[in-house]
Amino acid sequence: MNLAVRDVRHNAGRFAFTTLGVGLLLMIVMGMGGIYRGLIYEATLLVDSVGADLWVVQGSTRGPFAEISRLPANLEDRVLAVPGVARARRFVSHTIQREHQGKLLRMVVQGLAWPDDKGEWVPLVAGRPLRQAHYEMIADQSLHLPLGEKIRLGKDVYEIVGQTRGLVGSSGDGLAFFTISDAMAIQFDVPGEAMRLERAARRARVEAIDLGRLQPLLLDRAAGLNRGIPALATPQVSAVLVSLQPGADAAAVRRVLSTWPDITVYSTQEQKDLLLAGMVDKARRQLGLFRTLLIIISTIIIALIIYTLTLDKIRDIALLKLIGARNTVIGGLILQQALLMGACGFGIAWWIGQYLFPHFPRLVLIANEDLVSLGVIVVVISTLASLLGIWKALHVEPNTVLAV
Amino acid sequence: MSANSETPPAIEVSHLRKVYGRGHTEVVAIRDATLQIARGEIVGMLGPSGSGKSTILTAMALINPPTAGQITISGKPVMDGPRALVDARAFRRRHLGFVFQKPNLIPFLTALENVQIALEVNDIAPREARKRALELLDYLGVSPRANNLPDALSGGEQQRVAIARALANNPSLILADEPTAALDSKLGRQVMELFAKVAHERHAGVLVVTHDLRTLDIFDRILDVEDGAIQVRENPATVTSAR
């Protein structure tokens, strides 16, 4: 006869409410693990998706995911000349926050190296890749921009021609793909007034020097377009992505590139490791500490509940001792109740999580191995939590039952 | 009823002494108590509050070791002074049955399960335990209420279930501590008659602590306890008239 189940059945309401509370706590523990998994997934999604063999970034930096990396756009051509390199692409990625239809809209602007890269590799759930050099974009569904919708970014208007699902940056903001020139135009867009002030300032600087007075043509140049002034820097990109020829020796290509003092080269794995070691590692530790605290709190709550349930039936336990029940029967009653509470709480956590987690603003990814490890943790904390009740029960004198 | 000469007594207590505290706080609860209860005999224990009845009962139940004296149950020495000569809990399981003033049924078990659990803790297989528990409830006239929780039973029915539980393992000795105190006189008498039936039909020694003088005729003998000392009276009617 299973005494634990019968006692639980008799106090079903109280047990159910208590277990629901434990379940909600465990759901938070489960959710925090899922948030961490989601962070890793989202952080590495872009690095995995673009499919580069090597990442060329600004010298002595750790790449665009760790800090600011600026490279001249024409580095692409230098890299392409290295033996073993099949393809080199400019990589532009930056986050913008704009207002669209009265709401704030945050997106990660991702440049595609048009015309080589039209975004065919991007996993679309609707629409098509880019077909023209300007004014088209592919947006993730998390941005809530339907196909055909037009959005003004900077001075230009872009039409959504394709949609992805679940493609987000390391910050959880949806990715939006543009041609690289459009991505740079969005990145470096400044208001017309700022441009006019900048040109006036240039003209004033030229007029202030002898060369300006000797070469009046410079004054006309100063008031012109940026690209007409050789002294100004060429457009810059965040990185250059390198794809190797089939069978090419990655180490050899890397050795060549490493001799260039203005750049640093990383493999995709190194780039991912840098990404995870930076932003995600701190989040991991933060979430880990919260999870530990919540597990301790859950243990204490289960222990107190089991202890209270034990106190409630102390006379019954004394009676069981009087009629000769072994300690294993009495200890088993309490241990089984604790395990039942833990197991039901775990089930509730999982069940509610199924419905709740998809509505979280960040991806919550519940991995099977995390479920298994949390299950083991629940068994351990339930067992630990039962110890107080078992200790109390085993110290009850059988003659307690004689007290009126 | 006299004991069968070939069967050892249900219990023999000799020169039992129980002292609580030391020095100035010393209280002698039992003074040199000696008694014997045969199997098939029902014995009443009378005495005012604080006279030592419960102390004697708990000592015999192996849950309150005496300071001195010996206890032998079914011919097996079980206590020599404060020293237990057997595993007390295992011995209780096999040889003793208990009934209290309150039925003390486990509230989350049905009447049937309350009896069944006493069998299962004695390693009887669940199916067999259930069958025997039903037989006992039938014997005590409460089988129609077998699947009811204690809350749904009357006081008399609860006490009958408690007696069934006490009988579950065919104990040689049943110890009852004021089992009719919470019942009205009619029910109290019925319960006392049940104890007599159990003693005579199931050949168990039964010791009943009681204050109910109206049921003394049921006992084969009366133990009169006063200041921790026991006096045995063979004729209950004598005791009744003396009070």
Side-chain angles (χ1 to χ4, degrees), chain A residues 38-51:
Chain A
L39 273 180
I40 291 178
Y41 175 79
E42 288 180 343
T44 55
L45 187 64
L46 181 60
V47 181
D48 285 333
S49 299
V50 295

Side-chain angles (χ1 to χ4, degrees), chain A residues 61-82:
Chain A
T61 72
R62 291 173 177 267
F65 300 114
E67 55 187 310
I68 291 173
S69 166
R70 290 197 181 108
L71 293 169
N74 59 11
L75 181 72
E76 179 186 11
D77 303 319
R78 284 167 60 196
V79 172
L80 204 51
V82 174

Side-chain angles (χ1 to χ4, degrees), chain A residues 1 3 6-7 9-10 313 315-316 319-327 330 398-399 401-402 404, chain B residues 58 63 89 92-93 98 100-102 104-109 113 116-118 120-121 123 149 165:
Chain A
M1 183 188 312
L3 294 174
R6 281 166 174 78
D7 186 28
R9 204 168 53 194
H10 190 245
K313 51 179 175 284
R315 280 178 71 94
D316 304 328
L319 177 86
L320 286 170
K321 282 189 164 184
L322 187 67
I323 65 174
R326 293 175 179 85
N327 284 342
I330 294 160
N399 53 16
V401 78
L402 299 175
V404 177
Chain B
T58 52
I63 55 178
R89 204 185 296 189
R92 280 200 302 270
R93 190 160 62 224
F98 302 92
F100 315 97
Q101 181 176 335
K102 288 183 175 178
N104 280 322
L105 299 179
I106 297 175
F108 52 85
L109 300 181
E113 289 167 342
Q116 190 181 336
I117 188 69
E120 285 193 20
V121 297
D123 299 328
L149 288 172
R165 180 179 61 198

Side-chain angles (χ1 to χ4, degrees), chain B residues 8-232:
Chain B
I11 187 165
E12 288 177 273
V13 173
S14 30
H15 307 295
L16 203 68
R17 182 178 165 81
K18 177 71 183 181
V19 179
Y20 290 111
R22 281 182 183 175
H24 297 299
T25 59
E26 185 177 286
V27 175
V28 180
I30 310 175
R31 300 170 192 276
D32 197 33
T34 297
L35 66 96
Q36 180 176 313
I37 300 171
R39 296 191 70 150
E41 184 181 29
I42 178 165
V43 175
M45 189 186 277
L46 296 177
S49 293
S51 59
K53 303 187 300 293
S54 292
T55 308
I56 293 171
L57 194 83
T58 52
M60 291 163 78
L62 312 182
I63 55 178
N64 186 13
T67 310
Q70 292 81 39
I71 300 173
T72 302
I73 297 175
S74 286
K76 172 98 177 164
V78 290
M79 294 297 291
D80 184 9
R83 191 165 62 92
L85 304 175
V86 293
D87 176 350
R89 204 185 296 189
F91 198 83
R92 280 200 302 270
R93 190 160 62 224
R94 296 190 188 106
H95 298 280
L96 301 181
F98 302 92
V99 182
F100 315 97
Q101 181 176 335
K102 288 183 175 178
N104 280 322
L105 299 179
I106 297 175
F108 52 85
L109 300 181
T110 62
L112 177 66
E113 289 167 342
N114 263 286
V115 182
Q116 190 181 336
I117 188 69
L119 289 156
E120 285 193 20
V121 297
N122 201 21
D123 299 328
I124 308 293
R127 189 182 292 252
E128 173 65 14
R130 188 177 175 83
K131 181 169 156 271
R132 279 163 64 172
L134 261 175
E135 285 169 4
L136 278 168
L137 291 179
D138 193 41
Y139 175 69
L140 292 164
V142 276
S143 56
R145 312 303 302 273
N147 293 317
N148 286 103
L149 288 172
D151 281 353
L153 303 178
S154 70
E157 286 170 335
Q158 287 188 26
Q159 203 58 294
R160 281 163 188 260
V161 175
I163 295 169
R165 180 179 61 198
L167 290 175
N169 291 302
N170 285 324
S172 50
L173 178 66
I174 294 173
L175 301 169
D177 189 9
E178 300 187 39
T180 60
L183 305 176
D184 62 38
S185 58
K186 189 178 169 194
L187 272 178
R189 176 140 200 110
Q190 284 179 2
V191 168
M192 283 300 191
E193 283 170 353
L194 266 179
F195 277 118
K197 184 181 170 189
V198 164
H200 299 149
E201 290 183 6
R202 301 181 82 89
H203 205 52
V206 178
L207 175 66
V208 181
V209 172
T210 184
H211 283 116
D212 189 355
L213 300 180
R214 288 168 299 185
T215 56
L216 295 185
D217 58 301
I218 286 168
F219 299 119
D220 296 322
R221 280 189 298 144
I222 299 292
L223 305 177
D224 199 7
V225 183
E226 191 147 3
D227 292 333
I230 295 177
Q231 286 187 327
V232 182

